[in-house]
């Protein structure tokens, strides 16, 4: 067994780990070891945005986790891929850039994550970001993370969808990551110069030439090494040999919402009965580890398209070859976008204060993994209820780090979540029925016009929903007995050990998780280094002042028209 000494050890070169590796080495006075189980991200299928379905479904680049039988989804097993490559899930995800609603972070504060309210986290979103259209009070223009709108909605279906939302009585929002999330508008993606702008590209690659950063790939971490209640390093395997690395200051777990709780449990930190059942000696009882697991579900609302403008006509091998060659030569065209270029955020009913439903619009009718393309022109909306009340778990099964943990989300256990998906079906039909879609809207493919009653909708949803790939909250931040880390991201009761990734979210935000995960790592880097946090932002958040009485802001205006 070899041994190496560092100041900080970061486990996981993903969305958070790459940020930390950059920020903790930028002063040059701290030696940092970054460990990643996967390997290089230098693959055309990772770097070309339109190829997003390939790395997500490839064992080389992603942990292909599956849940246990989900009891409220007709006992289906759900796919739960997590990044296993430099860049982690930011190298295999859909590249959609959504911060979440301002109230999501105020909710974190109310859950005990003091200092993580919107006004305090906004400066870190801005610090991370290089927004293609310039900075303002809400957007950053000089950060590492390139963000744009892909092909700027050249396909006419994108803008037709936005107009349909306005026709239905909702607002058009100029920037859902700015002052007002609620409404319909252009969607943003982490793409720069036509390439996926993962945290590996944005943060890690610029830092890899620093002499104080060591990056070790194909390293499977077995456990955090503890001396009493203090973390002193990690034990990991590479090339069939065991290694032990020592951290003079801290060990930081950034292995994600499945990997981080699993590693804590492998190290003897967690709920006593879970550890004992797996044959692991309890080093520190912390009952919240692996609990509070949350995710977003979505389904595809599909329609035939009456005009030959959809991407379904580009799915044959010849068109794919042309798209790929153009991207290789010019880094533009249909290869340089994730194709989710317009979106919507709405509230499901009156009395809901901020949006809880999210739309990704796709000018094609196909599966997220690229399979089962519809024969003919079509379009679809990915729609989901984004503030679930159901909670699941991640539980270690064995002391063997190669054995995957038990994962169960208990999707749709809570009646409010089932009700939210009924709203998804009915509100979507109303939106797509608007005049703006008349030139394009054909027959409803899925769910199908015969799906109308609550029972019919519930049955369809149980069979059709898929994960939006946003597992989170399994090592929640706070101060209550279920909290795993404190508001400084330190594991409660253990010295020199932190968790920094989406597992520490107290609740899941209304949106995709890559942007808030990067923000968490940016802010945590300042906490780790003992720096004063960035000055809080005093900016207005625009919301419907009559949210208690109406479901959409444009209702009154629509009634007068």
């Amino acid at each position: 067994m070899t041994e190496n000494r560092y100041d900080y050890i970061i486990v996981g070169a993903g969305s958070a780990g790459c940020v930390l590796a950059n920020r903790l080495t930028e002063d040059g006075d701290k030696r940092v070891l970054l460990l990643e189980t996967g390997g290089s991200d230098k693959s055309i299928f990772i770097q070309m945005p339109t190829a997003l379905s390939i790395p997500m479904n490839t064992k080389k680049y992603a942990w292909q986790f599956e849940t246990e039988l989900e009891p409220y989804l007709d006992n289906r097993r759900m796919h739960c891929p997590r990044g296993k490559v430099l860049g982690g899930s930011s190298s295999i995800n859909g590249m959609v850039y959504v911060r979440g609603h301002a109230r999501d972070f105020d909710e974190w504060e109310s859950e005990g994550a003091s200092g993580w309210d919107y006004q305090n986290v906004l400066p870190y979103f801005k610090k991370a970001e290089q927004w293609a259209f310039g900075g303002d009070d809400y957007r950053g223009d000089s950060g590492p993370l390139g963000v744009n709108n892909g092909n700027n909605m050249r396909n006419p279906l994108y803008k037709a969808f936005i107009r349909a939302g306005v026709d239905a009585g909702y607002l058009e929002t100029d920037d859902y990551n700015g002052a007002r999330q609620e409404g319909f508008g252009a969607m943003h993606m982490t793409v720069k110069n036509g390439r996926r702008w993962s945290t590996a590209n944005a943060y890690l690659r610029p830092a890899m030439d620093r002499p104080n950063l060591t990056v070790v790939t194909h390293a499977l971490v077995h456990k955090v090494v503890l001396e009493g209640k203090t973390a002193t390093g990690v034990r990991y395997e590479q090339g069939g040999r065991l290694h032990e690395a020592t951290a003079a200051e801290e060990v930081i777990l950034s292995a994600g919402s499945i990997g981080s709780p699993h590693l804590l449990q492998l190290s003897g930190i967690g709920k006593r009965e879970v550890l004992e059942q797996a044959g692991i000696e309890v080093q520190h009882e912390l009952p919240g580890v692996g609990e509070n697991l949350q995710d977003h579900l979505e389904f595809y609302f599909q329609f035939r398209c009456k005009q030959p403008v959809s991407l379904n006509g580009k799915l044959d091998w010849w068109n794919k070859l042309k798209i790929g060659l153009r991207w290789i030569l010019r880094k533009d065209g249909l290869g340089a976008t994730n194709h989710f270029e317009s979106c919507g955020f709405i509230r499901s009913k009156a009395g809901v204060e901020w949006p809880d439903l999210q739309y990704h619009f796709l000018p094609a009718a196909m599966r997220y993994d690229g399979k089962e393309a519809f024969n003919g022109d079509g379009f679809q909306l990915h729609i989901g209820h984004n503030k679930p009340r159901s909670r699941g778990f991640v539980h270690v099964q064995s002391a063997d780090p190669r054995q995957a943990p038990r994962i169960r989300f208990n999707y749709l256990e809570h009646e409010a979540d089932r009700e939210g998906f009924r709203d998804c079906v009915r509100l979507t039909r109303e939106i797509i029925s608007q005049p703006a879609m008349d030139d394009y809207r054909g027959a409803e493919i899925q769910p199908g016009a015969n799906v109308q009653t609550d029972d019919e909708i519930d049955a369809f949803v149980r069979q059709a929903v898929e994960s939006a790939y946003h597992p989170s909250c399994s090592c929640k931040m706070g101060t209550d007995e279920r909290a795993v880390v404190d508001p400084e991201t330190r594991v409660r009761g253990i010295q020199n050990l932190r968790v920094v990734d989406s597992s520490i979210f107290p609740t899941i935000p209304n949106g995709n998780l890559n942007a808030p995960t990067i923000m968490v790592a940016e802010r945590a880097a300042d906490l780790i280094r003992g720096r004063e946090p960035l000055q809080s932002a005093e900016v207005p958040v625009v919301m419907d002042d009559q949210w208690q009485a109406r479901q959409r802001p444009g209702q009154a205006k629509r009634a007068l028209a």
Side-chain angles (χ1 to χ4, degrees):
M1 182 182 296
T2 59
E3 183 172 349
N4 299 285
R5 297 181 181 276
Y6 300 87
D7 294 296
Y8 297 107
I9 299 173
I10 303 166
V11 178
S15 298
C18 289
V19 175
L20 293 173
N22 183 300
R23 296 307 188 193
L24 297 182
T25 58
E26 60 188 354
D27 292 338
D29 60 341
K30 299 296 183 182
R31 295 186 64 219
V32 175
L33 172 65
L34 177 64
L35 297 170
E36 168 57 45
T37 306
S40 171
D41 63 331
K42 293 181 179 179
S43 163
I44 187 174
F45 300 120
I46 290 176
Q47 300 300 326
M48 182 167 61
T50 195
L52 61 94
S53 67
I54 296 175
M56 181 179 294
N57 293 285
T58 302
K59 289 183 179 181
K60 180 179 179 181
Y61 301 125
W63 300 96
Q64 300 296 326
F65 293 123
E66 279 195 336
T67 70
E68 296 186 330
L69 301 177
E70 289 288 349
Y72 307 96
L73 293 185
D74 292 343
N75 287 324
R76 294 164 58 200
R77 292 189 188 274
M78 302 294 282
H79 188 212
C80 184
R82 297 285 84 204
K84 188 177 65 173
V85 61
L86 292 178
S89 293
S90 76
S91 288
I92 68 165
N93 68 2
M95 291 158 283
V96 174
Y97 183 83
V98 181
R99 294 173 174 178
H101 195 280
R103 287 290 188 267
D104 290 323
F105 305 103
D106 296 340
E107 184 177 71
W108 287 11
E109 176 96 9
S110 72
E111 289 276 328
S114 57
W116 292 87
D117 64 300
Y118 179 66
Q119 305 293 351
N120 277 303
V121 302
L122 176 56
Y124 288 98
F125 279 119
K126 293 178 64 178
K127 180 180 181 180
E129 185 181 62
Q130 187 180 106
W131 174 227
F133 302 102
D136 56 28
D137 288 345
Y138 300 88
R139 305 303 296 261
D141 60 1
S142 57
L145 190 70
V147 181
N148 66 17
N149 179 241
N151 283 330
N152 297 317
M153 299 192 296
R154 292 178 189 171
N155 189 301
L157 288 166
Y158 292 122
K159 293 179 180 178
F161 172 63
I162 295 171
R163 291 195 303 272
V166 175
D167 286 348
Y170 301 95
L171 300 177
E172 183 172 352
T173 180
D174 293 334
D175 182 358
Y176 64 82
N177 284 313
R180 186 183 68 230
Q181 185 193 61
E182 187 169 7
F184 288 73
M187 181 160 259
H188 312 154
M189 63 187 74
T190 49
V191 172
K192 183 178 180 181
N193 299 326
R195 298 175 63 200
R196 174 194 289 272
W197 215 239
S198 64
T199 55
N201 284 333
Y203 285 90
L204 182 58
R205 201 145 279 116
M208 288 182 78
D209 290 334
R210 295 173 186 166
N212 58 326
L213 174 62
T214 301
V215 180
V216 178
T217 56
H218 305 292
L220 177 65
V221 177
H222 286 208
K223 63 187 294 186
V224 177
V225 178
L226 300 172
E227 291 185 4
K229 300 290 185 178
T230 300
T232 60
V234 299
R235 185 171 300 158
Y236 68 95
E237 181 180 340
Q238 186 199 39
R241 297 180 60 194
L242 278 179
H243 306 262
E244 195 161 295
T246 300
E249 298 199 24
E250 292 185 338
V251 174
I252 307 159
L253 301 186
S254 295
S257 290
I258 306 301
S260 286
H262 189 219
L263 268 173
L264 287 174
Q265 292 166 346
L266 286 169
S267 308
I269 302 170
K271 184 185 291 187
R272 178 174 294 277
E273 53 265 39
V274 171
L275 300 181
E276 290 178 345
Q277 188 172 6
I280 296 172
E281 183 179 352
V282 178
Q283 303 295 328
H284 178 63
E285 189 168 5
L286 197 57
V289 173
E291 307 303 315
N292 194 48
L293 181 66
Q294 300 169 44
D295 189 18
H296 290 147
L297 285 173
E298 64 180 16
F299 69 87
Y300 314 145
F301 215 122
Q302 296 179 324
F303 292 84
R304 294 180 183 271
C305 185
K306 295 191 294 186
Q307 297 191 31
V309 295
S310 79
L311 297 178
N312 286 78
K314 305 291 186 182
L315 296 177
D316 60 282
W317 71 268
W318 174 242
N319 273 292
K320 286 183 177 180
L321 177 62
K322 290 193 294 184
I323 291 167
L325 287 174
R326 177 171 174 171
W327 183 84
I328 290 169
L329 295 172
R330 297 170 52 179
K331 298 296 186 290
D332 65 3
L334 292 176
T337 175
N338 63 10
H339 304 293
F340 295 113
E341 295 186 19
S342 65
C343 64
F345 296 88
I346 66 174
R347 291 177 291 114
S348 57
K349 56 180 62 67
V352 174
E353 187 178 1
W354 68 91
D356 58 340
L357 306 185
Q358 178 183 3
Y359 289 100
H360 300 63
F361 183 86
L362 184 70
M366 59 189 295
R367 290 174 54 87
Y368 194 87
D369 59 12
K371 297 178 181 177
E372 298 181 14
F374 171 61
N375 184 20
D377 278 280
F379 60 86
Q380 70 190 35
L381 304 92
H382 294 220
I383 172 65
H385 177 247
N386 271 10
K387 297 297 289 184
R389 297 190 189 178
S390 303
R391 301 291 184 263
F393 59 79
V394 177
H395 287 171
V396 66
Q397 295 195 80
S398 158
D400 181 357
R402 292 173 184 80
Q403 184 170 356
R406 294 174 57 211
I407 303 168
R408 191 166 78 203
F409 289 91
N410 290 317
Y411 292 119
L412 301 186
E413 176 184 23
H414 201 288
E415 171 61 22
D417 300 346
R418 299 191 288 273
E419 185 178 330
F421 273 93
R422 295 172 202 143
D423 295 330
C424 287
V425 172
R426 294 185 170 118
L427 292 172
T428 301
R429 282 180 171 148
E430 181 185 7
I431 291 165
I432 299 301
S433 72
Q434 299 303 315
M437 296 300 295
D438 284 352
D439 290 342
Y440 306 105
R441 180 186 60 254
E444 180 180 314
I445 303 167
Q446 182 178 289
N450 60 318
V451 177
Q452 294 290 337
T453 68
D454 284 0
D455 287 346
E456 289 166 347
I457 292 172
D458 288 351
F460 163 77
V461 168
R462 288 195 303 271
Q463 283 297 312
V465 287
E466 298 182 7
S467 172
Y469 310 122
H470 301 161
S472 54
C473 309
S474 52
C475 294
K476 69 168 286 191
M477 174 168 48
T479 55
D480 63 89
E481 63 179 14
R482 306 296 287 179
V484 175
V485 301
D486 67 14
E488 301 282 307
T489 73
R490 301 171 297 202
V491 174
R492 297 173 64 233
I494 298 290
Q495 297 295 312
N496 301 342
L497 180 60
R498 296 185 195 246
V499 181
V500 179
D501 55 34
S502 62
S503 71
I504 70 170
F505 296 0
T507 56
I508 194 168
N510 176 42
N512 308 66
L513 299 194
N514 192 233
T517 302
I518 291 168
M519 174 277 292
V520 161
E522 284 278 18
R523 191 169 189 274
D526 277 355
L527 295 173
I528 292 166
R529 295 189 302 180
R531 290 186 170 184
E532 283 295 317
L534 296 178
Q535 185 175 356
S536 64
E538 300 299 327
V539 297
V541 176
V542 180
M543 299 173 63
D544 183 8
D545 59 3
Q546 297 183 50
W547 61 269
Q548 292 175 308
R550 64 187 183 192
Q551 183 259 332
R552 63 198 79 178
Q555 277 181 330
K557 181 179 178 181
R558 185 166 174 252
L560 294 172

